[in-house]
Amino acid sequence: DSYKQTDAKFALLGARNVGKSAIAVRFLTKRFIGEYDSTQDSTYQFNSTIDDDQVNLEVLDPGPESVSEPSIGSRALWADGLLLVYSITDRKSFKVVQDLLQFIDPFKQKTVIIVIGNKSDLEHERQVSEGEGASLAEKLKCSFFECSASEGYQKVAEAFHELYREVIKRKKE
Ligand code: GDP
Ligand code: MG
């Protein structure tokens, strides 16, 4: 019997090139693989241990982003949790996250969000301060993490784990 219940469905959203695929693959494999085929959506199903629980996860890594309303709406409808990703080296990508919020708004009772500033290893190229990311998250009443998919597993995993906890909490409400 190959049927397994999915405990949580996550989708990554954000501008091109911010590291969505790198984050998904890092969480899934604990590795960093430099380049990814980004011509289509990828959905990963896997088992992970979070807070001593064995959980079944689905992670949707979108292909070339359409940050249009229908595309974001369908992902927000599908997912229990959304990772809104920008790159700290790319101010435009921070704006993209802010711009897509309006399309998520109708789903906010159902879908938990988290803000992620990726590429924190590139401090010398930083365009978005940690404070700016934090205050956006504060405004949205959601969690915020800076991380580096290229540098390590721990911070990336922490973000997914926190999102998982919040999804479970929301489901129980
Ligand atoms: P996506 O379009 O959002 O899926 O972005 P990708 O995951 O394909 O990453 C875009 C580029 O940024 C690739 O060249 C990655 O190797 C690179 N990249 C992704 N995450 C990081 C990171 O944390 N640090 C650095 N320095 N590069 C990264
Ligand atoms: Mg990608």
Side-chain angles (χ1 to χ4, degrees):
D1 186 6
S2 65
Y3 176 79
K4 276 191 183 170
Q5 189 198 332
T6 299
D7 297 309
K9 292 187 279 193
F10 299 145
L12 295 133
L13 287 180
R16 250 185 140 121
N17 232 32
V18 297
K20 297 180 299 300
S21 299
I23 287 171
V25 170
R26 173 63 94 172
F27 184 51
L28 180 64
T29 67
K30 301 194 167 67
R31 292 196 177 84
F32 179 69
I33 299 156
E35 301 303 325
Y36 313 87
D37 176 15
S38 63
T39 55
Q40 56 190 33
D41 288 4
S42 305
T43 308
Y44 303 102
Q45 300 186 319
F46 59 106
N47 195 270
S48 189
T49 306
I50 302 180
D51 300 335
D52 299 324
D53 287 340
Q54 287 285 104
V55 300
N56 295 306
L57 301 177
E58 275 185 70
V59 176
L60 171 71
D61 172 29
E65 283 59 60
S66 160
V67 279
S68 66
E69 181 163 10
S71 155
I72 295 193
S74 70
R75 278 153 191 179
L77 186 63
W78 174 83
D80 304 306
L82 293 173
L83 299 96
L84 309 182
V85 186
Y86 66 91
S87 165
I88 69 152
T89 65
D90 178 4
R91 177 157 294 281
K92 268 192 260 152
S93 72
F94 189 55
K95 175 81 164 41
V96 167
V97 164
Q98 288 163 292
D99 289 345
L100 60 79
L101 290 170
Q102 56 180 318
F103 304 136
I104 294 171
D105 203 56
F107 305 95
K108 69 177 176 217
Q109 296 303 322
K110 175 203 153 289
T111 309
V112 182
I113 61 174
I114 193 169
V115 173
I116 298 198
N118 189 41
K119 307 200 187 185
S120 64
D121 55 299
L122 300 177
E123 188 56 47
H124 56 292
E125 292 177 37
R126 182 187 282 276
Q127 293 182 359
V128 182
S129 75
E130 190 161 9
E132 286 174 284
S135 47
L136 175 63
E138 199 175 318
K139 204 174 85 189
L140 300 171
K141 298 186 174 59
C142 75
S143 298
F144 168 65
F145 287 86
E146 280 197 352
C147 70
S148 164
S150 71
E151 217 168 50
Y153 171 72
Q154 206 50 45
K155 259 296 164 68
V156 170
E158 229 175 85
F160 277 94
H161 290 187
E162 181 55 30
L163 184 57
Y164 176 77
R165 287 180 203 115
E166 289 170 16
V167 163
I168 295 305
K169 210 168 104 194
R170 180 74 59 91
K171 283 185 174 184
K172 284 180 180 159
E173 279 166 10

